[in-house]
Every structure is written in structure tokens, then in C-alpha cells.
Coordinates of all heavy atoms in Angstrom, one line a residue:
M30 N 0.9 -1.2 0.0 CA 0.0 0.0 0.0 C 0.9 1.2 0.0 O 1.9 1.3 0.6 CB -0.9 0.0 1.2 CG -1.8 1.2 1.4 SD -3.3 0.7 2.0 CE -4.2 2.2 1.8
A31 N 0.5 2.2 -0.8 CA 1.2 3.5 -0.9 C 1.1 4.3 0.4 O 0.1 4.3 1.1 CB 0.7 4.2 -2.0
R32 N 2.3 4.9 0.8 CA 2.2 5.8 1.9 C 1.7 7.1 1.6 O 1.5 7.5 0.4 CB 3.7 5.9 2.4 CG 4.3 4.7 3.0 CD 5.7 5.0 3.4 NE 6.5 5.4 2.3 CZ 7.7 5.0 2.1 NH1 8.3 4.2 2.9 NH2 8.4 5.4 1.0
K33 N 1.3 7.8 2.6 CA 0.6 9.2 2.4 C 1.7 10.1 2.0 O 2.8 10.2 2.5 CB 0.0 9.6 3.7 CG -1.1 10.6 3.6 CD -1.9 10.6 4.9 CE -2.8 11.8 4.9 NZ -4.1 11.5 4.3
S34 N 1.4 10.9 1.0 CA 2.3 12.0 0.5 C 2.4 13.1 1.4 O 1.3 13.6 1.9 CB 1.9 12.3 -0.9 OG 2.7 13.4 -1.4
P35 N 3.6 13.7 1.5 CA 3.6 15.0 2.3 C 2.9 16.1 1.7 O 2.5 17.1 2.3 CB 5.1 15.3 2.4 CG 5.8 14.0 2.1 CD 4.9 13.3 1.3
L36 N 2.6 16.0 0.4 CA 1.9 17.1 -0.3 C 0.4 17.0 0.0 O -0.4 17.9 -0.4 CB 2.0 17.0 -1.8 CG 3.4 17.4 -2.3 CD1 3.6 17.2 -3.8 CD2 3.7 18.8 -1.9
D37 N -0.1 15.9 0.7 CA -1.5 15.9 1.1 C -1.8 16.8 2.2 O -3.0 17.2 2.4 CB -1.8 14.4 1.5 CG -1.9 13.4 0.4 OD1 -2.0 13.9 -0.7 OD2 -1.7 12.2 0.7
N38 N -0.7 17.3 2.9 CA -0.9 18.3 4.0 C -1.0 19.6 3.3 O -0.1 20.1 2.6 CB 0.3 18.2 4.9 CG 0.3 19.2 6.1 OD1 -0.6 20.1 6.1 ND2 1.1 19.1 7.0
P39 N -2.1 20.4 3.6 CA -2.2 21.7 2.9 C -1.1 22.7 3.2 O -0.8 23.5 2.3 CB -3.6 22.2 3.4 CG -4.3 21.0 3.9 CD -3.3 20.0 4.4
E40 N -0.6 22.7 4.4 CA 0.5 23.6 4.7 C 1.7 23.3 3.9 O 2.4 24.2 3.3 CB 0.8 23.6 6.1 CG -0.3 24.2 7.0 CD 0.0 24.1 8.5 OE1 1.1 23.7 8.9 OE2 -0.9 24.4 9.3
N41 N 2.1 22.0 3.8 CA 3.3 21.6 3.0 C 3.1 21.9 1.6 O 4.0 22.4 0.9 CB 3.6 20.1 3.2 CG 4.2 19.8 4.6 OD1 4.6 20.7 5.4 ND2 4.2 18.5 4.9
A42 N 1.9 21.6 1.1 CA 1.6 21.8 -0.3 C 1.6 23.3 -0.7 O 2.2 23.7 -1.7 CB 0.3 21.3 -0.7
A43 N 1.1 24.1 0.2 CA 1.1 25.6 -0.1 C 2.6 26.1 -0.1 O 2.9 26.9 -1.0 CB 0.3 26.3 1.0
H44 N 3.4 25.7 0.8 CA 4.8 26.1 0.8 C 5.5 25.6 -0.4 O 6.3 26.4 -1.1 CB 5.5 25.6 2.1 CG 6.9 25.9 2.1 ND1 7.4 27.1 2.3 CD2 8.0 25.0 2.0 CE1 8.8 27.0 2.3 NE2 9.1 25.8 2.1
A45 N 5.3 24.3 -0.8 CA 6.0 23.8 -2.0 C 5.6 24.5 -3.3 O 6.4 24.8 -4.1 CB 5.7 22.3 -2.1
W46 N 4.3 24.8 -3.4 CA 3.8 25.4 -4.6 C 4.2 26.9 -4.7 O 4.5 27.4 -5.8 CB 2.3 25.2 -4.8 CG 2.0 23.9 -5.3 CD1 1.3 22.9 -4.5 CD2 2.3 23.2 -6.5 NE1 1.2 21.8 -5.2 CE2 1.8 22.0 -6.4 CE3 2.9 23.7 -7.7 CZ2 1.9 21.1 -7.5 CZ3 3.1 22.8 -8.7 CH2 2.5 21.5 -8.6
A47 N 4.3 27.5 -3.5 CA 4.8 28.9 -3.5 C 6.2 29.0 -3.9 O 6.6 29.9 -4.7 CB 4.6 29.5 -2.1
R48 N 7.0 28.0 -3.5 CA 8.4 28.0 -3.9 C 8.6 27.7 -5.4 O 9.4 28.3 -6.1 CB 9.1 26.9 -3.1 CG 10.6 26.8 -3.3 CD 11.2 25.8 -2.3 NE 12.6 25.5 -2.8 CZ 13.1 24.3 -3.0 NH1 12.3 23.3 -2.7 NH2 14.3 24.1 -3.3
Y49 N 7.7 26.8 -5.9 CA 7.7 26.5 -7.3 C 7.4 27.7 -8.1 O 8.0 28.0 -9.1 CB 6.7 25.3 -7.6 CG 6.7 25.0 -9.1 CD1 7.7 24.3 -9.7 CD2 5.6 25.4 -9.8 CE1 7.6 23.9 -11.1 CE2 5.5 25.0 -11.2 CZ 6.5 24.3 -11.8 OH 6.5 24.0 -13.1
R50 N 6.4 28.5 -7.7 CA 6.0 29.7 -8.5 C 7.1 30.7 -8.4 O 7.3 31.4 -9.4 CB 4.7 30.3 -7.9 CG 3.4 29.6 -8.4 CD 2.2 30.3 -8.0 NE 2.0 30.4 -6.5 CZ 1.4 29.5 -5.8 NH1 1.0 28.3 -6.3 NH2 1.3 29.6 -4.5
Q51 N 7.8 30.8 -7.3 CA 8.9 31.7 -7.2 C 10.0 31.4 -8.1 O 10.6 32.2 -8.8 CB 9.5 31.8 -5.7 CG 10.6 32.7 -5.5 CD 11.1 32.6 -4.1 OE1 10.8 31.7 -3.3 NE2 11.9 33.6 -3.7
I52 N 10.3 30.1 -8.2 CA 11.3 29.6 -9.2 C 10.9 29.9 -10.6 O 11.7 30.3 -11.4 CB 11.6 28.1 -9.0 CG1 12.4 27.9 -7.6 CG2 12.4 27.5 -10.1 CD1 12.4 26.5 -7.2
M53 N 9.6 29.7 -10.9 CA 9.1 29.9 -12.2 C 9.2 31.5 -12.6 O 9.5 31.8 -13.8 CB 7.7 29.4 -12.4 CG 7.6 27.9 -12.5 SD 8.6 27.1 -13.8 CE 7.8 27.7 -15.2
K54 N 9.0 32.3 -11.6 CA 9.1 33.8 -11.9 C 10.5 34.1 -12.3 O 10.8 34.9 -13.1 CB 8.6 34.6 -10.7 CG 7.1 34.5 -10.5 CD 6.7 35.3 -9.2 CE 5.2 35.1 -9.0 NZ 4.8 35.7 -7.7
L55 N 11.4 33.6 -11.5 CA 12.9 33.8 -11.8 C 13.2 33.2 -13.2 O 14.0 33.9 -13.9 CB 13.7 33.2 -10.7 CG 15.3 33.2 -10.9 CD1 15.7 34.7 -10.8 CD2 16.0 32.4 -9.9
L56 N 12.7 32.1 -13.5 CA 13.0 31.5 -14.8 C 12.4 32.3 -15.9 O 13.0 32.4 -17.0 CB 12.4 30.0 -14.8 CG 12.5 29.3 -16.2 CD1 14.0 29.1 -16.5 CD2 11.8 28.0 -16.1
M57 N 11.2 32.9 -15.7 CA 10.6 33.8 -16.7 C 11.5 35.0 -16.9 O 11.7 35.4 -18.1 CB 9.2 34.2 -16.3 CG 8.5 35.0 -17.3 SD 8.3 34.2 -18.8 CE 6.6 34.4 -19.1
A58 N 12.0 35.6 -15.9 CA 12.9 36.7 -16.0 C 14.2 36.4 -16.7 O 14.7 37.2 -17.6 CB 13.3 37.3 -14.6
V59 N 14.7 35.2 -16.5 CA 16.0 34.8 -17.1 C 15.7 34.5 -18.6 O 16.5 34.8 -19.5 CB 16.6 33.6 -16.4 CG1 17.7 32.9 -17.3 CG2 17.1 33.9 -15.1
T60 N 14.5 33.9 -18.8 CA 14.1 33.6 -20.3 C 13.9 34.9 -21.1 O 14.4 35.0 -22.2 CB 12.8 32.8 -20.3 OG1 13.0 31.6 -19.6 CG2 12.4 32.6 -21.7
I61 N 13.3 35.9 -20.5 CA 13.1 37.2 -21.2 C 14.5 37.9 -21.5 O 14.7 38.4 -22.6 CB 12.2 38.1 -20.4 CG1 10.7 37.6 -20.4 CG2 12.3 39.5 -20.9 CD1 9.8 38.3 -19.4
A62 N 15.3 37.8 -20.5 CA 16.7 38.4 -20.7 C 17.5 37.6 -21.8 O 18.1 38.2 -22.7 CB 17.5 38.3 -19.4
T63 N 17.4 36.3 -21.8 CA 18.0 35.5 -22.8 C 17.5 35.7 -24.2 O 18.2 35.9 -25.2 CB 17.9 34.0 -22.5 OG1 18.5 33.7 -21.1 CG2 18.7 33.1 -23.4
V64 N 16.2 35.8 -24.3 CA 15.6 36.1 -25.7 C 16.0 37.5 -26.1 O 16.3 37.7 -27.3 CB 14.1 35.9 -25.6 CG1 13.4 36.5 -26.8 CG2 13.7 34.5 -25.4
T65 N 16.0 38.4 -25.2 CA 16.4 39.8 -25.6 C 17.8 39.9 -26.1 O 18.1 40.4 -27.2 CB 16.2 40.7 -24.4 OG1 14.8 40.7 -24.0 CG2 16.5 42.2 -24.8
V66 N 18.7 39.2 -25.4 CA 20.1 39.2 -25.8 C 20.3 38.4 -27.1 O 21.0 38.9 -28.0 CB 21.0 38.6 -24.7 CG1 22.4 38.3 -25.2 CG2 21.0 39.5 -23.5
A67 N 19.6 37.3 -27.3 CA 19.7 36.5 -28.5 C 19.2 37.3 -29.7 O 19.8 37.3 -30.8 CB 18.9 35.2 -28.3
L68 N 18.1 38.0 -29.6 CA 17.5 38.8 -30.7 C 18.4 39.9 -31.0 O 18.6 40.3 -32.2 CB 16.1 39.2 -30.4 CG 15.0 38.1 -30.3 CD1 13.7 38.7 -30.0 CD2 15.0 37.4 -31.6
G69 N 19.0 40.5 -30.0 CA 19.9 41.6 -30.2 C 21.2 41.2 -31.0 O 21.7 41.9 -31.9
L70 N 21.7 40.0 -30.6 CA 22.9 39.5 -31.2 C 22.6 39.1 -32.7 O 23.4 39.3 -33.6 CB 23.5 38.3 -30.5 CG 24.2 38.6 -29.2 CD1 24.5 37.3 -28.4 CD2 25.4 39.5 -29.5
L71 N 21.4 38.5 -32.9 CA 21.0 38.1 -34.2 C 20.9 39.4 -35.1 O 21.3 39.4 -36.3 CB 19.7 37.3 -34.3 CG 19.9 35.9 -33.8 CD1 18.4 35.3 -33.7 CD2 20.7 35.1 -34.8
Y72 N 20.3 40.4 -34.6 CA 20.1 41.7 -35.4 C 21.5 42.3 -35.7 O 21.7 42.8 -36.7 CB 19.2 42.6 -34.6 CG 19.0 43.9 -35.4 CD1 18.1 43.9 -36.5 CD2 19.6 45.0 -35.0 CE1 17.9 45.0 -37.2 CE2 19.4 46.2 -35.8 CZ 18.5 46.2 -36.8 OH 18.3 47.4 -37.5
A73 N 22.3 42.2 -34.6 CA 23.7 42.8 -34.8 C 24.5 42.2 -35.9 O 25.3 42.8 -36.6 CB 24.4 42.9 -33.5
F74 N 24.5 40.9 -36.0 CA 25.3 40.1 -36.9 C 24.6 39.9 -38.2 O 25.3 39.8 -39.3 CB 25.7 38.7 -36.3 CG 26.7 38.8 -35.2 CD1 26.4 38.5 -33.9 CD2 28.0 39.3 -35.5 CE1 27.3 38.6 -32.9 CE2 28.9 39.4 -34.4 CZ 28.6 39.1 -33.2
N75 N 23.2 39.9 -38.3 CA 22.6 39.6 -39.5 C 21.8 40.8 -40.1 O 21.3 40.7 -41.2 CB 21.6 38.4 -39.4 CG 22.3 37.1 -39.1 OD1 23.4 36.9 -39.5 ND2 21.7 36.3 -38.2
G76 N 21.5 41.8 -39.3 CA 20.7 42.9 -39.8 C 19.2 42.4 -39.7 O 18.8 41.4 -39.1
M77 N 18.4 43.2 -40.4 CA 16.9 42.9 -40.4 C 16.7 41.9 -41.5 O 16.7 42.2 -42.7 CB 16.1 44.2 -40.6 CG 14.7 43.9 -40.5 SD 14.3 43.5 -38.8 CE 12.6 43.1 -38.9
V78 N 16.6 40.6 -41.1 CA 16.3 39.5 -42.1 C 14.9 39.5 -42.4 O 14.4 39.8 -43.5 CB 16.8 38.3 -41.6 CG1 16.6 37.1 -42.6 CG2 18.3 38.3 -41.2
S79 N 14.1 39.0 -41.5 CA 12.6 38.9 -41.6 C 12.0 38.9 -40.2 O 12.6 38.3 -39.3 CB 12.2 37.6 -42.3 OG 10.9 37.3 -42.3
V80 N 10.9 39.5 -40.1 CA 10.3 39.5 -38.8 C 9.9 38.1 -38.4 O 9.9 37.8 -37.2 CB 9.1 40.5 -38.8 CG1 7.9 40.0 -39.7 CG2 8.6 40.9 -37.4
H81 N 9.5 37.3 -39.3 CA 9.1 35.9 -39.0 C 10.3 35.1 -38.4 O 10.1 34.2 -37.5 CB 8.6 35.2 -40.2 CG 7.3 35.9 -40.8 ND1 7.4 36.8 -41.8 CD2 6.1 35.8 -40.4 CE1 6.2 37.2 -42.1 NE2 5.4 36.7 -41.2
Y82 N 11.5 35.4 -38.8 CA 12.7 34.8 -38.3 C 12.9 35.1 -36.9 O 13.1 34.2 -36.0 CB 13.9 35.2 -39.2 CG 15.2 34.8 -38.7 CD1 15.6 33.4 -38.8 CD2 16.2 35.7 -38.1 CE1 16.9 33.0 -38.4 CE2 17.4 35.2 -37.6 CZ 17.7 33.9 -37.8 OH 19.0 33.5 -37.3
F83 N 12.8 36.4 -36.5 CA 12.9 36.8 -35.2 C 11.8 36.3 -34.2 O 12.1 35.9 -33.1 CB 13.0 38.4 -35.0 CG 14.2 38.9 -35.6 CD1 14.2 39.6 -36.9 CD2 15.4 38.8 -35.0 CE1 15.3 40.1 -37.4 CE2 16.6 39.3 -35.5 CZ 16.6 40.0 -36.8
I84 N 10.6 36.2 -34.8 CA 9.5 35.6 -34.0 C 9.8 34.2 -33.7 O 9.5 33.7 -32.6 CB 8.1 35.9 -34.7 CG1 7.8 37.3 -34.7 CG2 7.1 35.0 -34.1 CD1 6.6 37.6 -35.6
A85 N 10.2 33.4 -34.7 CA 10.4 32.0 -34.6 C 11.6 31.8 -33.6 O 11.5 30.8 -32.7 CB 10.8 31.3 -35.9
V86 N 12.6 32.5 -33.7 CA 13.8 32.4 -32.7 C 13.3 32.7 -31.3 O 13.6 31.9 -30.3 CB 14.9 33.3 -33.1 CG1 16.0 33.4 -32.0 CG2 15.5 32.8 -34.4
A87 N 12.5 33.7 -31.1 CA 12.1 34.2 -29.8 C 11.1 33.1 -29.2 O 11.3 32.7 -28.0 CB 11.4 35.5 -29.8
L88 N 10.2 32.6 -30.0 CA 9.3 31.5 -29.5 C 10.1 30.2 -29.2 O 9.7 29.6 -28.2 CB 8.2 31.3 -30.5 CG 7.1 32.4 -30.6 CD1 6.1 32.1 -31.7 CD2 6.4 32.6 -29.3
G89 N 11.0 29.9 -30.0 CA 11.7 28.6 -29.9 C 12.6 28.7 -28.6 O 12.5 27.7 -27.8
I90 N 13.3 29.7 -28.4 CA 14.1 29.9 -27.2 C 13.2 29.9 -25.9 O 13.4 29.2 -24.9 CB 15.0 31.1 -27.2 CG1 16.0 30.9 -28.3 CG2 15.6 31.4 -25.9 CD1 16.9 32.2 -28.6
A91 N 12.1 30.7 -26.0 CA 11.3 30.8 -24.8 C 10.5 29.5 -24.5 O 10.5 29.1 -23.3 CB 10.2 31.9 -25.1
F92 N 10.0 28.9 -25.5 CA 9.3 27.6 -25.3 C 10.2 26.6 -24.7 O 9.9 25.8 -23.7 CB 8.7 27.1 -26.5 CG 8.0 25.8 -26.5 CD1 6.7 25.8 -25.8 CD2 8.5 24.6 -26.9 CE1 6.0 24.6 -25.7 CE2 7.8 23.4 -26.7 CZ 6.6 23.4 -26.1
T93 N 11.5 26.4 -25.2 CA 12.4 25.4 -24.8 C 12.8 25.7 -23.4 O 12.9 24.8 -22.5 CB 13.7 25.4 -25.7 OG1 13.2 25.1 -27.0 CG2 14.7 24.4 -25.2
M94 N 13.1 26.9 -23.0 CA 13.6 27.3 -21.7 C 12.5 27.1 -20.7 O 12.7 26.5 -19.6 CB 14.1 28.7 -21.6 CG 15.5 28.9 -22.3 SD 16.1 30.5 -22.1 CE 16.4 30.6 -20.4
L95 N 11.3 27.5 -21.0 CA 10.2 27.5 -20.0 C 9.7 26.0 -19.8 O 9.4 25.6 -18.6 CB 9.0 28.4 -20.4 CG 9.3 29.9 -20.3 CD1 8.2 30.7 -20.9 CD2 9.6 30.3 -18.9
L96 N 9.7 25.2 -20.8 CA 9.2 23.9 -20.8 C 10.2 23.1 -19.9 O 9.9 22.3 -19.0 CB 8.9 23.3 -22.1 CG 8.5 21.8 -22.1 CD1 7.1 21.7 -21.5 CD2 8.5 21.2 -23.5
S97 N 11.5 23.1 -20.3 CA 12.5 22.4 -19.6 C 12.6 22.8 -18.2 O 12.7 22.0 -17.3 CB 13.8 22.5 -20.4 OG 14.3 23.8 -20.4
G98 N 12.6 24.1 -18.0 CA 12.7 24.6 -16.6 C 11.4 24.2 -15.7 O 11.6 23.9 -14.5
G99 N 10.3 24.3 -16.3 CA 9.1 23.9 -15.6 C 9.0 22.4 -15.2 O 8.7 22.1 -14.1
L100 N 9.5 21.6 -16.2 CA 9.5 20.1 -15.9 C 10.6 19.8 -14.9 O 10.4 18.9 -14.0 CB 9.7 19.3 -17.2 CG 8.6 19.4 -18.1 CD1 8.9 18.7 -19.5 CD2 7.3 18.7 -17.5
M101 N 11.7 20.4 -14.9 CA 12.8 20.2 -14.0 C 12.3 20.7 -12.6 O 12.6 20.1 -11.6 CB 14.1 20.9 -14.4 CG 15.2 20.5 -13.6 SD 16.8 21.3 -14.1 CE 16.9 20.8 -15.8
G102 N 11.6 21.8 -12.6 CA 11.1 22.3 -11.3 C 10.1 21.4 -10.7 O 10.2 21.2 -9.4
L103 N 9.3 20.8 -11.5 CA 8.3 19.8 -10.9 C 9.0 18.5 -10.4 O 8.7 18.0 -9.4 CB 7.3 19.4 -12.0 CG 6.3 20.4 -12.3 CD1 5.4 19.9 -13.5 CD2 5.4 20.7 -11.2
A104 N 10.1 18.1 -11.1 CA 10.9 17.0 -10.6 C 11.5 17.4 -9.2 O 11.6 16.5 -8.3 CB 12.0 16.6 -11.6
F105 N 12.1 18.6 -9.1 CA 12.7 19.0 -7.8 C 11.6 19.2 -6.8 O 11.9 18.8 -5.6 CB 13.5 20.3 -8.0 CG 14.8 20.1 -8.7 CD1 15.2 21.0 -9.7 CD2 15.6 19.0 -8.5 CE1 16.4 20.8 -10.4 CE2 16.8 18.8 -9.2 CZ 17.2 19.8 -10.1
L106 N 10.5 19.6 -7.1 CA 9.4 19.8 -6.2 C 9.0 18.5 -5.6 O 8.8 18.3 -4.4 CB 8.2 20.5 -6.8 CG 6.9 20.6 -6.0 CD1 6.8 21.9 -5.5 CD2 5.7 20.2 -6.8
S107 N 8.8 17.5 -6.5 CA 8.4 16.1 -6.1 C 9.4 15.5 -5.2 O 9.0 14.9 -4.2 CB 8.1 15.3 -7.4 OG 7.8 14.0 -7.1
N108 N 10.7 15.6 -5.5 CA 11.7 15.0 -4.8 C 11.9 15.7 -3.5 O 12.1 15.1 -2.4 CB 13.0 14.9 -5.6 CG 14.1 14.2 -4.8 OD1 13.9 13.3 -4.1 ND2 15.4 14.6 -5.0
G109 N 12.0 17.0 -3.5 CA 12.2 17.9 -2.3 C 11.2 17.8 -1.2 O 11.5 18.0 -0.1
T110 N 9.9 17.5 -1.6 CA 8.9 17.4 -0.6 C 8.7 16.0 -0.1 O 8.0 15.8 0.9 CB 7.6 17.8 -1.2 OG1 7.2 17.0 -2.3 CG2 7.6 19.3 -1.7
G111 N 9.4 15.0 -0.6 CA 9.2 13.7 -0.2 C 8.1 12.9 -0.9 O 7.7 11.8 -0.5
H112 N 7.5 13.6 -1.9 CA 6.4 12.9 -2.6 C 6.9 11.7 -3.3 O 6.1 10.7 -3.5 CB 5.8 13.9 -3.6 CG 4.6 13.4 -4.3 ND1 3.4 13.2 -3.7 CD2 4.5 13.1 -5.6 CE1 2.5 12.8 -4.6 NE2 3.1 12.7 -5.8
D113 N 8.1 11.6 -3.8 CA 8.7 10.5 -4.5 C 8.8 9.3 -3.5 O 8.6 8.2 -4.0 CB 10.0 10.8 -5.1 CG 10.0 11.7 -6.3 OD1 8.8 12.0 -6.7 OD2 11.1 12.2 -6.7
D114 N 9.1 9.5 -2.3 CA 9.3 8.4 -1.3 C 7.9 7.8 -1.0 O 7.9 6.7 -0.6 CB 9.8 9.0 0.0 CG 11.2 9.5 -0.2 OD1 11.9 9.0 -1.2 OD2 11.7 10.4 0.5
A115 N 6.8 8.4 -1.3 CA 5.5 7.9 -0.9 C 5.0 7.0 -2.0 O 4.0 6.3 -1.9 CB 4.5 9.0 -0.7
V116 N 5.7 6.9 -3.2 CA 5.3 6.1 -4.3 C 5.7 4.6 -4.0 O 6.8 4.3 -3.7 CB 5.8 6.6 -5.6 CG1 5.5 5.7 -6.7 CG2 5.3 8.0 -5.8
D117 N 4.8 3.7 -4.3 CA 5.1 2.3 -4.2 C 5.6 1.7 -5.5 O 4.9 1.7 -6.5 CB 3.8 1.5 -3.9 CG 4.0 0.0 -3.6 OD1 5.2 -0.4 -3.5 OD2 3.0 -0.7 -3.5
N118 N 6.9 1.5 -5.5 CA 7.6 1.0 -6.8 C 7.8 -0.5 -6.9 O 8.6 -0.9 -7.7 CB 8.9 1.8 -6.9 CG 8.8 3.2 -7.4 OD1 7.8 3.5 -8.0 ND2 9.8 4.0 -7.1
R119 N 7.3 -1.2 -6.0 CA 7.5 -2.7 -6.0 C 6.7 -3.2 -7.3 O 5.5 -3.0 -7.4 CB 6.9 -3.3 -4.8 CG 7.8 -2.9 -3.5 CD 7.1 -3.5 -2.3 NE 5.9 -2.8 -2.1 CZ 4.9 -3.3 -1.4 NH1 5.0 -4.4 -0.8 NH2 3.8 -2.6 -1.3
L120 N 7.5 -4.0 -8.1 CA 6.9 -4.6 -9.3 C 6.6 -6.1 -8.9 O 7.4 -6.7 -8.2 CB 7.8 -4.5 -10.4 CG 8.1 -3.1 -10.9 CD1 9.2 -3.2 -12.0 CD2 6.9 -2.5 -11.5
P121 N 5.6 -6.7 -9.5 CA 5.3 -8.1 -9.3 C 6.3 -8.9 -10.1 O 6.9 -8.5 -11.0 CB 3.9 -8.3 -9.9 CG 3.6 -7.1 -10.8 CD 4.5 -6.0 -10.3
S122 N 6.6 -10.1 -9.5 CA 7.5 -11.0 -10.2 C 6.9 -11.5 -11.5 O 5.7 -11.4 -11.7 CB 7.9 -12.1 -9.3 OG 6.8 -13.0 -9.1
A123 N 7.7 -12.2 -12.3 CA 7.2 -12.7 -13.6 C 6.2 -13.8 -13.3 O 5.3 -14.0 -14.1 CB 8.4 -13.2 -14.4
D124 N 6.4 -14.6 -12.3 CA 5.5 -15.6 -12.0 C 4.1 -15.1 -11.6 O 3.1 -15.7 -11.9 CB 6.0 -16.5 -10.8 CG 7.1 -17.4 -11.3 OD1 7.3 -17.6 -12.5 OD2 7.9 -17.8 -10.4
E125 N 4.1 -13.9 -10.9 CA 2.8 -13.3 -10.5 C 2.1 -12.8 -11.8 O 0.8 -12.8 -11.8 CB 3.0 -12.2 -9.5 CG 3.4 -12.8 -8.1 CD 3.8 -11.6 -7.2 OE1 4.0 -10.5 -7.6 OE2 3.9 -11.9 -6.0
L126 N 2.9 -12.3 -12.7 CA 2.3 -11.7 -13.9 C 1.7 -12.8 -14.9 O 0.7 -12.7 -15.4 CB 3.3 -10.8 -14.6 CG 3.5 -9.4 -14.0 CD1 4.6 -8.7 -14.8 CD2 2.3 -8.6 -13.9
F127 N 2.6 -13.8 -15.1 CA 2.4 -14.7 -16.3 C 2.0 -16.1 -15.7 O 1.7 -17.0 -16.6 CB 3.5 -14.8 -17.2 CG 4.0 -13.4 -17.7 CD1 5.2 -12.9 -17.4 CD2 3.1 -12.7 -18.5 CE1 5.5 -11.6 -17.8 CE2 3.5 -11.5 -19.0 CZ 4.7 -10.9 -18.7
G128 N 2.1 -16.3 -14.4 CA 1.8 -17.6 -13.9 C 3.0 -18.5 -14.0 O 3.9 -18.3 -14.8
G129 N 3.1 -19.5 -13.1 CA 4.3 -20.4 -13.1 C 4.2 -21.3 -14.3 O 3.2 -21.7 -14.8
K130 N 5.4 -21.8 -14.7 CA 5.5 -22.7 -15.9 C 5.8 -24.0 -15.4 O 6.8 -24.2 -14.5 CB 6.6 -22.2 -16.9 CG 6.2 -20.9 -17.6 CD 7.2 -20.6 -18.7 CE 6.8 -19.4 -19.4 NZ 7.7 -19.1 -20.5
D131 N 5.1 -25.0 -15.8 CA 5.4 -26.4 -15.4 C 6.5 -26.9 -16.3 O 6.4 -26.9 -17.5 CB 4.2 -27.3 -15.6 CG 3.1 -26.9 -14.6 OD1 3.4 -26.3 -13.6 OD2 1.9 -27.1 -14.9
R132 N 7.5 -27.4 -15.7 CA 8.6 -28.1 -16.5 C 8.4 -29.5 -16.5 O 8.1 -30.2 -15.6 CB 9.9 -27.8 -15.8 CG 10.3 -26.3 -15.8 CD 11.6 -26.0 -15.5 NE 11.8 -24.5 -15.6 CZ 12.9 -24.1 -16.1 NH1 13.9 -24.8 -16.4 NH2 13.1 -22.8 -16.1
D133 N 8.6 -30.1 -17.7 CA 8.4 -31.5 -17.9 C 9.7 -32.2 -17.7 O 10.7 -31.9 -18.0 CB 7.9 -31.8 -19.3 CG 6.5 -31.3 -19.5 OD1 5.7 -31.2 -18.5 OD2 6.1 -30.9 -20.6

């Protein structure tokens, strides 16, 4: 039977999610700065190529940074709160899954 998760406690969950939101705000600020610098460098070295090029670069960088940072933040949140320890990872043996084989 699975143990109770520390995130079931409303106080622990509120603290953990507040910390996660704080990390995401910092990540958003870093992402905006990175996109700004990248677009500035592209403009400095290439000039005005196409507005679609700059939009694609900005969206690509922002999406990649926010998605990877958000998923990594969730992994750290899950591990840091002890939620991972509450998961039951015991797998059944092959005999339990497929039944015992009679040997002749």
C-alpha cells in the first residue's frame, strides 16, 4: 500500500507550490533576458532579415527554456517534498504476472 504523500498536507503543499511559483518567476525573468540578448545578437550580426525569423527564434528559445525549466522544477518539487518516497515502486515478479510454468 502506498504511503501518504507530504503534499497531502495543505501547509506543506502551499509552501511547496509557493516555492515552485517563485522559481518559475525567476525562470521567466531569465528567459526574457536570454531572448532579448539573443535577438539583439542576431540583429547585430545579420541585420533585419525577416520579422518571422525573429518571432520563430524568440518563441523557440522561450518555449524550450520554460518547458524544460518547468518540468525540472516539478521534478525537484516532487523529490524535495518527499512525494517520491510515498510512491510504491514494487513490481510483481514474472510468476505473478504470467503464472508459473510447469517443467516437464
Side-chain angles (χ1 to χ4, degrees):
M30 177 141 187
R32 293 181 295 223
K33 207 166 165 88
S34 170
L36 289 177
D37 290 339
N38 181 351
E40 291 176 9
N41 288 346
H44 174 71
W46 286 111
R48 184 172 168 233
Y49 178 75
R50 281 190 297 275
Q51 181 182 13
I52 290 171
M53 288 304 293
K54 287 177 187 176
L55 177 65
L56 179 64
M57 183 60 126
V59 170
T60 299
I61 290 171
T63 302
V64 168
T65 304
V66 168
L68 291 179
L70 288 173
L71 284 174
Y72 182 75
F74 288 113
N75 297 326
M77 189 62 185
V78 180
S79 169
V80 71
H81 299 100
Y82 175 72
F83 290 107
I84 291 171
V86 168
L88 289 176
I90 292 172
F92 180 75
T93 302
M94 286 184 68
L95 292 174
L96 180 65
S97 60
L100 292 174
M101 190 179 301
L103 287 174
F105 287 138
L106 173 105
S107 178
N108 185 34
T110 59
H112 185 69
D113 289 349
D114 297 332
V116 175
D117 184 11
N118 281 335
R119 292 175 291 159
L120 295 175
S122 67
D124 289 338
E125 292 174 344
L126 285 175
F127 304 113
K130 292 186 178 181
D131 293 336
R132 294 196 176 216
D133 294 329

